[in-house]
Amino acid sequence: VNAETTRHIEAISVEVVDTTAAGDTFAGALAVSLASGRTMPDALLFASSAAALACTRLGAQPSVPTLREVLEVAGEHQCGKKCR
């Protein structure tokens, strides 16, 4: 993803309980992922995984997943070793 290229990253389907904090979780996970040196596609998948998990829980702060949980979901969705 850059000025010349775009890429579609599909959302991860989950049973939604509450969307509170999903956007904040996505933004935070994307920032951490990029700061860790991941490529934009891998960082987007990581952030999407984090936001999807947040949607499965009630509330704001309690809905933010742990790194281990995000890595597990991201790994299930083709992120592979780049996310670990």
Side-chain angles (χ1 to χ4, degrees):
V1 179
N2 56 40
E4 295 82 35
T5 309
T6 61
R7 183 168 176 183
H8 177 78
I9 306 292
E10 296 218 14
I12 295 171
S13 182
V14 295
E15 290 282 328
V16 175
V17 172
D18 185 2
T19 61
T20 303
D24 293 331
T25 300
F26 180 90
L30 181 63
V32 165
S33 215
L34 291 172
S36 297
R38 291 188 179 100
T39 64
M40 182 60 82
D42 285 344
L44 288 168
L45 180 55
F46 182 86
S48 181
S49 298
L53 280 168
C55 289
T56 66
R57 301 169 182 169
L58 192 59
Q61 189 173 354
S63 71
V64 178
T66 65
L67 175 60
R68 177 176 279 174
E69 292 170 324
V70 176
L71 291 174
E72 187 175 305
V73 170
E76 291 171 3
H77 289 88
Q78 313 271 337
C79 196
K81 293 180 182 177
K82 293 179 183 177
C83 282
R84 298 182 196 280

